[in-house]
Amino acid sequence: MTSTRDPARPFGRTLCAMITPFTEAGTLDLDGARALAARLVAEGCDGLVLNGTTGESPTTTDREKTELVAAVREAVGDEATLVAGVGSADTRHTVELALAAQKAGADGVLVVTPYYSRPPQEAVEAHFRQVADASGVPVMLYDIPGRTGTRIEPDTMIRLAEHPRIVAVKDCSYDFLGTQKVLGRTELAYYTGCDEHVLALYAIGAAGCVSTVGNAVPGHFAAILDAFDAGDTARARELQLRVTPLIEAMMAAGLPGTVTAKALLARLGLPAGPVRAPLMAAGRETADGLLALYEELTAA
């Protein structure tokens, strides 16, 4: 599927880092996942990232990850690209997850820097190359040093861009200078994973975004990029600033985005369910505040 898409946007433009719905008993809710995925695509997402951190990948089993990809593929058909998170701290396990995701119907894989062990850059590069060599689908690198403890340094990224299957980056580095360096020297498609940077990174040449807040307002981020593409930068700026309070409440208020996204989706009557331990559900006051911000945004 990705081979028919714009190589500058190998996975589309507006992607959502989809939550993984669970039943009230805490088991995987495949019907809910199908329904949520179909809604996200209908409302503006041309790609979905499954089994990422927002999808609670640290607490889902390998089997659940594969079942989720297959179910969402069934639900959205060829209407959207599917990128499956397969990253782990173990290169062999990451390769196994990548092959399983491809078999289940993923168009690409998202591979995070190995975490906790903090490997040096030579080992980071070797890890990504081994996964890309083994995978039969394009690879999106995931640079989020605040979670993993290790950057994918710009020079490492530039070398990795030479690999034919490494085509994109989900950028949560908070390093605009480093990002610009890589953008200027490679053809890697950059997707911002920080909702507050959607417009800023797009303006300097990013391919699009992978949004967590998009679980609740997928059409809003598509509208920001539509306005920019149409040359209406004032409108794009207005839309980015308008969503800022919701971004702050969901992503910068001390709770993981998974927790706040599920709290808001539940208030909207959409598939979500509980989070798995060690995460804990948002309190009533937090959920009320999220709903109020959502209603303010969507009423404007």
Side-chain angles (χ1 to χ4, degrees):
M1 180 177 180
T2 52
S3 62
T4 65
R5 290 179 173 262
D6 181 353
R9 296 173 177 172
F11 302 116
R13 189 190 62 169
T14 309
L15 283 70
C16 178
M18 196 178 100
I19 59 108
T20 298
F22 297 132
T23 67
E24 289 306 313
T27 59
L28 187 63
D29 179 6
L30 292 178
D31 287 340
R34 292 185 188 97
L36 180 60
R39 170 188 174 268
L40 292 170
V41 173
E43 295 192 11
C45 293
D46 46 25
L48 302 173
V49 175
L50 308 173
N51 297 322
T53 310
T54 302
E56 297 179 75
S57 58
T59 54
T60 56
T61 66
D62 291 1
R63 180 175 179 177
E64 287 174 326
K65 289 177 173 64
T66 301
E67 289 177 344
L68 180 67
V69 172
V72 172
R73 176 89 283 164
E74 177 187 6
V76 304
D78 291 334
E79 296 300 311
T81 53
L82 299 185
V83 180
V86 299
S88 76
D90 177 354
T91 302
R92 288 177 298 175
H93 188 207
T94 302
V95 168
E96 291 169 0
L97 289 172
L99 294 175
Q102 178 185 353
K103 186 176 180 179
D107 297 298
V109 291
L110 175 70
V111 187
V112 73
T113 317
Y115 39 83
Y116 191 77
S117 56
R118 303 188 70 175
Q121 289 299 297
E122 181 181 6
V124 169
E125 182 176 347
H127 171 83
F128 287 125
R129 287 187 181 277
Q130 287 181 53
V131 178
D133 286 343
S135 173
V137 293
V139 172
M140 178 186 288
L141 306 177
Y142 188 8
D143 190 16
I144 183 166
R147 293 285 186 94
T148 65
T150 304
R151 275 292 312 271
I152 310 174
E153 296 291 346
D155 288 342
T156 303
M157 201 85 75
I158 290 166
R159 291 191 299 272
L160 286 168
E162 298 170 359
H163 195 290
R165 287 201 189 97
I166 296 176
V167 300
V169 178
K170 180 182 177 185
D171 184 23
C172 292
S173 67
Y174 286 94
D175 177 10
F176 265 74
L177 180 59
T179 294
Q180 290 175 71
K181 179 178 178 179
V182 179
L183 278 170
R185 293 180 57 185
T186 75
E187 295 183 359
L188 288 171
Y190 260 72
Y191 293 85
T192 180
C194 306
D195 288 288
E196 66 271 30
H197 290 171
V198 169
L199 179 57
L201 198 58
Y202 198 64
I204 62 168
C209 62
V210 177
S211 172
T212 294
V213 177
N215 278 280
V217 287
H220 192 91
F221 291 97
I224 291 171
L225 304 186
D226 284 343
F228 189 88
D229 285 345
D232 191 348
T233 55
R235 175 64 173 165
R237 174 183 180 276
E238 176 191 356
L239 291 170
Q240 179 72 57
L241 295 180
R242 187 185 296 171
V243 74
T244 297
L246 184 60
I247 293 172
E248 183 177 19
M250 290 184 67
M251 305 302 294
L255 291 175
T258 305
V259 172
T260 53
K262 282 197 164 184
L264 180 52
L265 291 178
R267 285 299 180 93
L268 297 174
L270 296 168
V275 293
R276 284 183 175 172
L279 298 180
M280 297 179 67
R284 181 186 297 272
E285 183 177 349
T286 296
D288 287 345
L290 291 168
L291 181 60
L293 289 170
Y294 170 86
E295 290 177 339
E296 180 181 351
L297 175 64
T298 55

